[in-house]
Amino acid sequence: MLFDTHAHLNDEQFAGDVPETIERAKEAGVTRIAVVGYDLASSIESIKIAKRYGSVYAVIGVHPHDAATLDGDTLTKLRVYAREPEVVAIGEIGLDYYRNLSPRQIQVDAFRTQIHLAKELKKPIVIHDRDAHEDTVNMLRSEQAGENGGILHCFSGSWEMARQCMSLGFHISIAGPVTYHNANKLLEIAKLVPLDRLLVETDCPYLAPHPFRGKRNEPARVRLVGEKIAELRRISLEQLAEATTKNALTVFEIK
């Protein structure tokens, strides 16, 4: 039974078929899904979806692309919404120096503010890091951001970065790129991360695994991610699923 720890069923690409998408996931053995917000509106939508469907959970926060929208009013609303029972983490938050859709200092400020919010609420964080590895690790260390645990989602850093993040209290989540032909670094990390620190995700509708690359991704396809990692580690898919689901339940404090 797999847990897709990072899905955007709140994305407009799923506007017409969320129930069918969740049903396909169940048929593929994906029994739990975390729906992740990236701004206030999508965070609210993630809660609505989680309330509507069993075994679906909400993660709420403001993505670095939208960091400039994190004003006092938005922060106050996130604090209120975070107390809904379906909300299991604050995210996705972090830094994105690849697209730079918000000025870097505003990204840094929004990241720090939401780490503080998560610590106040005693919730884990879900981190987006793209081309900002050093600043991300420095922030996590300086703010003691792993106090309540968290996830480096769609991990793209080095093994050394993974080691540092795990030492700070974080889990490493691997997505569809592990199935790509040019993913040598990620293949090694998928083998090296201790099984009790490993998670799987789709980041759907993005990053569909091979052979669906370029098409809309969905939670059912986290099975392909799991199969690839199990093959690399020379264990069964059942072992991989049991371990990663247990890890997700631990991180998100789901009973």
Side-chain angles (χ1 to χ4, degrees):
M1 300 298 182
L2 287 154
F3 193 141
D4 182 359
T5 60
H6 200 106
H8 295 292
L9 297 183
N10 45 3
D11 187 278
E12 61 183 11
Q13 292 189 49
F14 290 107
D17 68 341
V18 170
E20 295 84 357
T21 299
I22 291 173
E23 190 56 40
R24 284 192 296 272
K26 289 179 180 175
E27 289 169 2
V30 184
T31 57
R32 299 177 191 257
I33 302 167
V35 179
V36 182
Y38 42 86
D39 60 11
L40 182 60
S42 62
S43 293
I44 294 169
E45 185 62 23
S46 73
I47 297 170
K48 289 179 180 177
I49 293 170
K51 286 182 181 295
R52 201 172 299 138
Y53 303 99
S55 300
V56 177
Y57 310 92
V59 177
I60 67 170
V62 176
H63 189 288
H65 288 344
D66 299 286
T69 70
L70 187 66
D71 55 16
D73 182 57
T74 298
L75 186 64
T76 297
K77 287 175 179 173
L78 285 174
R79 182 178 285 107
V80 172
Y81 283 117
R83 301 188 190 282
E84 294 288 336
E86 294 80 12
V87 176
V88 294
I90 301 299
E92 63 187 281
I93 64 175
L95 303 172
D96 192 311
Y97 294 171
Y98 178 73
R99 296 198 185 278
N100 280 314
L101 295 185
S102 287
R104 290 190 181 187
Q105 189 56 51
I106 290 177
Q107 292 188 44
V108 168
D109 293 344
F111 191 13
R112 182 181 292 109
T113 296
Q114 291 179 98
I115 288 172
H116 292 176
L117 176 65
K119 291 176 75 172
E120 172 193 329
L121 297 168
K122 295 182 166 48
K123 289 191 180 292
I125 56 176
V126 175
I127 299 156
H128 173 101
D129 158 45
R130 191 168 186 190
D131 288 4
H133 304 324
E134 184 177 356
D135 283 2
T136 296
V137 173
N138 288 341
M139 176 75 82
L140 298 180
R141 182 178 289 111
S142 66
E143 298 297 330
Q144 298 180 315
E147 191 174 280
N148 300 297
I151 301 168
L152 270 293
H153 117 82
C154 193
F155 190 77
S156 61
S158 65
W159 169 237
E160 178 56 30
M161 180 185 177
R163 286 180 62 251
Q164 291 182 51
C165 291
M166 288 187 288
S167 75
L168 294 170
F170 291 91
H171 284 66
I172 304 298
S173 184
I174 294 179
V178 75
T179 67
Y180 299 167
H181 298 308
N182 59 349
N184 296 331
K185 181 173 69 172
L186 191 55
L187 296 179
E188 280 304 303
I189 288 167
K191 288 189 283 187
L192 290 170
V193 172
L195 197 54
D196 64 354
R197 288 303 188 95
L198 187 64
L199 300 169
V200 291
E201 64 169 275
T202 56
D203 198 19
C204 66
Y206 316 107
L207 299 176
H210 178 80
F212 300 100
R213 191 173 183 178
K215 298 189 164 94
R216 187 190 80 165
N217 199 6
E218 60 178 72
R221 291 178 182 158
V222 82
R223 185 183 184 94
L224 297 173
V225 176
E227 287 174 349
K228 180 64 177 181
I229 297 172
E231 174 193 327
L232 290 166
R233 299 179 74 106
R234 298 183 179 178
I235 61 176
S236 69
L237 175 62
E238 289 72 23
Q239 287 175 283
L240 188 283
E242 181 180 3
T244 54
T245 295
K246 180 181 177 183
N247 296 341
L249 295 175
T250 299
V251 174
F252 291 140
E253 295 189 336
I254 296 169
K255 307 301 183 191

